[in-house]
Amino acid sequence: MTNTVEISKKPASVNVGRRRLLKLSGTAALLSAARLALPSGAFAQGAGPEVKGTRLGYIALTDAAPLIIAKEKGLYAKYGLPDMDIAKQASWGATRDNMALGFKNNGIDGGHILRPKTHLYSTGKVMQNNQPLPMYTLLNLNEDGQGISVSNEYKDLNVQKDASPLKQAFERKKAAGKELTAAMTFPGGTHDLWIRYWLAAGGIDPDTDIKVIVVPPPQMVANMKVGTMDCFCVGEPWNEQLVNQNIGYTALTTGELWSRHPEKILGMRADFVDANPKATQAILMAVMEAQQWADKRENRQELSEIVGKRQWFNVPVNDINKRLLGDINYGNGREVKGTNLQMKFWGEGGSTSYPWKSLDTWFVTENIRWGKFEPTIDIKALVDKTNRADLWREAAKTLGVAGAPTADSRGVETFFDGVKFDPAAPMDYLKALKIKRIA
């Protein structure tokens, strides 16, 4: 939907004559001139965004696509933000540090981040000197589309959703004096939680049976190639690239671990959002429109070509496009096509984009499980403080989104091993888990 500015109820030429302008009162003349000067897509209230743009960060992962598409398709400019800068970050650690700086200090005001980072930043848990950085979750960029991959060293085991075949193999390797390593992208982030959940479900303790390390997404494949890790969890296109280079294989996509799981978000510094409500709405609408475009199957090839460009990912299109269509070559003889395991960006009525509070509740709970948060933390208070679903609903209303969600909870979630998470009773979920860091 394109926002328009109503200049007059009667048809009139944009080129208002000098004689007519002179007849207008001073105030009316100013208002008329201001309205005529508004950029395409500026808000109908008469005043556009408070700023012309800011800087958002992204990692070279397919789920950053909506931020990139909004730039490439001119959607930020459409909503009055012609000066938006979408800047590549070297790692999730660099993203954190640049977020702490903020755009005014040559950093970033927001961007493509792992969903739990909003909670970890806001509480100061991963910040320098534990200094809290208030953050908001504005929308969910995508569902599914990540992978857990295993070195070809274990190809004969044909590991899939059940990680237990690795348990004995790991024990033998450990007994031989060799180090075991599982890689993820940021402590307490989504990939950390996916690989921990998968290993623990297979009876492997991620803190005592294997060493979990941090590796930036673009470096995953190179590190496995030189034999420095046994398995890793990362977003695309890196699992597909691993398979294409015959270095390892995908045990499962994360959509098989938890169907329609949340993943990355558009997160922003609270101070920017609070000071620039109209600019925030403009950013939301541009990204939401980009999500709608990206979710269409007929656009997936073009999406792959755009993000694969040198200035964005610098990755071959063939490392991106197939899994975007739900065609999964696991790399160990298994191959499926046309599945529902592809990355989702929008969903019916924006149900993928909508930042359900119940999903934030799971992330905080899971980080309690692994010792990132104390069991006494007020989960609901943290989620309510950081989740701005209200801003999403406001943007959806302006865009005319039909059937947009209005509730806070998506309901009870079920994982691949049959475990259920009721967001109304998170501590009951924790008590039922066997491997965890809390009593």
Side-chain angles (χ1 to χ4, degrees):
M1 176 181 176
T2 301
N3 293 326
T4 58
V5 180
E6 184 181 20
I7 297 174
S8 172
K9 291 184 179 179
K10 296 181 180 180
S13 171
V14 173
N15 296 316
V16 180
R18 176 178 173 83
R19 185 174 297 174
R20 175 167 170 72
L21 275 175
L22 290 172
K23 290 180 181 179
L24 294 171
S25 68
T27 302
L30 287 172
L31 286 172
S32 178
R35 286 180 177 179
L36 290 171
L38 281 173
S40 174
F43 292 108
Q45 294 94 314
E50 301 85 354
V51 294
K52 292 184 178 181
T54 186
R55 182 179 298 126
L56 303 178
Y58 78 95
I59 296 285
L61 292 163
T62 308
D63 39 37
L67 300 186
I68 295 167
I69 294 300
K71 178 72 173 178
E72 288 268 345
K73 297 290 184 181
L75 299 177
Y76 297 118
K78 173 182 176 180
Y79 292 108
L81 298 169
D83 296 339
M84 288 295 293
D85 180 15
I86 311 303
K88 185 184 290 187
Q89 308 295 295
S91 67
W92 290 122
T95 302
R96 171 201 57 204
D97 297 341
N98 284 325
M99 196 79 74
L101 287 171
F103 181 49
K104 291 179 181 178
N105 294 308
N106 203 33
I108 58 177
D109 279 333
H112 160 250
I113 61 174
L114 303 159
R115 187 153 179 166
K117 277 191 160 202
T118 302
H119 317 128
L120 296 166
Y121 289 1
S122 294
T123 56
K125 289 294 182 181
V126 298
M127 306 304 293
Q128 187 174 5
N129 300 322
N130 295 320
Q131 182 66 39
L133 175 63
M135 293 282 297
Y136 292 145
T137 295
L138 298 183
L139 59 73
N140 193 64
L141 282 170
N142 69 297
E143 293 172 341
D144 300 343
Q146 318 301 295
I148 296 177
S149 291
V150 179
S151 167
N152 274 342
E153 180 181 348
Y154 306 100
K155 202 163 189 176
D156 61 320
L157 295 178
N158 191 28
V159 182
Q160 298 180 27
K161 286 188 288 186
D162 180 10
S164 62
L166 286 172
K167 187 173 176 63
Q168 287 188 342
F170 284 173
E171 289 172 352
R172 289 192 298 269
K173 188 171 181 177
K174 203 170 187 179
K178 297 178 181 178
E179 191 173 65
L180 293 164
T181 304
M184 48 76 182
T185 62
F186 191 83
T190 54
H191 303 120
D192 188 19
L193 299 182
W194 304 144
I195 202 162
R196 285 174 174 274
Y197 191 101
W198 177 67
L199 290 169
I204 301 167
D205 191 314
D207 288 324
T208 61
D209 296 336
I210 193 168
K211 183 180 180 181
V212 178
I213 65 170
V214 175
V215 175
Q219 297 177 25
M220 286 287 188
V221 176
N223 274 271
M224 187 168 275
K225 185 175 183 178
V226 297
T228 58
M229 62 181 72
D230 298 274
C231 56
F232 66 62
C233 182
V234 72
E236 297 303 340
W238 309 111
N239 297 282
E240 187 162 359
Q241 186 177 94
L242 181 86
V243 168
N244 289 344
Q245 294 185 17
N246 195 30
I247 297 167
Y249 66 97
T250 298
L252 73 161
T253 70
T254 49
E256 295 171 88
L257 187 149
W258 176 11
S259 179
R260 301 193 71 92
H261 71 76
E263 182 54 40
K264 307 299 189 303
I265 59 165
L266 168 59
M268 296 200 71
R269 290 173 55 115
D271 58 1
F272 176 89
V273 173
D274 294 342
N276 302 284
K278 291 181 181 178
T280 300
Q281 281 292 298
I283 292 171
L284 271 168
M285 290 190 289
V287 176
M288 289 162 75
E289 189 169 327
Q291 287 183 287
Q292 294 175 52
W293 181 90
D295 224 24
K296 294 178 180 177
R297 187 177 179 85
E298 61 268 27
N299 292 334
R300 292 294 172 104
Q301 179 66 24
E302 184 183 351
L303 186 157
S304 301
E305 292 169 357
I306 289 173
V307 300
K309 290 178 182 178
R310 184 175 182 179
Q311 69 265 36
W312 298 117
F313 292 2
N314 194 25
V315 169
V317 171
N318 286 340
D319 288 348
I320 304 171
N321 58 1
K322 291 184 176 61
R323 293 198 182 196
L324 265 179
L325 295 172
D327 298 344
I328 316 293
N329 174 11
Y330 290 86
N332 59 350
R334 284 196 300 150
E335 189 168 359
V336 295
K337 293 187 177 182
T339 71
N340 194 37
L341 297 172
Q342 80 281 6
M343 192 174 287
K344 293 100 177 154
F345 295 102
W346 180 246
E348 186 176 353
S351 58
T352 294
S353 174
Y354 184 69
W356 300 92
K357 287 187 177 182
S358 61
L359 303 181
D360 283 329
T361 300
W362 182 83
F363 283 117
V364 178
T365 303
E366 196 70 4
N367 268 323
I368 293 173
R369 176 187 185 181
W370 301 115
K372 297 293 187 296
F373 290 125
E374 299 79 9
T376 54
I377 191 171
D378 189 332
I379 299 174
K380 186 178 186 303
L382 179 57
V383 171
D384 286 343
K385 182 179 179 180
T386 56
N387 185 298
R388 296 305 305 271
D390 59 317
L391 298 183
W392 189 98
R393 290 192 293 266
E394 185 180 337
K397 183 177 180 180
T398 304
L399 287 172
V401 176
T406 57
D408 286 335
S409 178
R410 202 170 72 168
V412 175
E413 306 287 342
T414 304
F415 297 82
F416 80 99
D417 54 352
V419 171
K420 295 182 183 297
F421 173 75
D422 183 350
M427 300 313 289
D428 289 347
Y429 163 83
L430 277 178
K431 290 174 184 176
L433 298 171
K434 294 180 180 179
I435 299 178
K436 52 195 172 187
R437 296 287 78 85
I438 61 171

